Amino acid sequence: DFVGCENQVRAAKAAGGAHVILVSSMGTTEPDSPLDLIGNGHILFYKLQGELVLMEAHGTNFTIIKPSSLLDDKGGQRELLVGRPCRP
């Protein structure tokens, strides 16, 4: 994830991309969580590093989307939190 994100941010900047949207994951700020340890790879750590590459890409507007649990329930029944900071 990190290398792919880095390559895409570099390509977007080179192409003059005005805005980059990154779909990351919930839990990137919770090291060694069960989700992070899937496949013994610290996947969320590398997703967080990709987020950092994007945030430090000077002159690039960006949005980072961090989806969480998806359900098959009827829509409109849950609260959508927007702009909520990650837990430390």
Side-chain angles (χ1 to χ4, degrees):
D1 275 293
F2 166 66
V3 173
C5 185
E6 187 175 43
N7 290 338
Q8 289 184 351
V9 168
R10 189 179 304 118
K13 285 187 73 165
H19 195 104
V20 175
I21 298 173
L22 173 64
V23 179
S24 185
S25 180
M26 64 181 256
T28 58
T29 57
E30 299 174 32
D32 298 324
S33 70
L35 189 58
D36 187 34
L37 298 176
I38 289 175
N40 297 319
H42 296 284
I43 186 66
L44 296 180
F45 171 79
Y46 291 105
K47 286 186 177 292
L48 181 61
Q49 298 310 302
E51 293 174 15
L52 182 61
V53 165
L54 180 55
M55 289 186 277
E56 290 182 342
H58 300 289
T60 302
N61 293 317
F62 64 89
T63 300
I64 299 173
I65 299 170
K66 301 179 101 166
S68 60
S69 302
L70 301 175
L71 305 171
D72 288 330
D73 295 350
K74 180 180 175 184
Q77 304 299 311
R78 304 260 179 179
E79 180 181 10
L80 175 64
L81 301 176
V82 179
R84 180 178 174 198
C86 293
R87 290 179 287 191

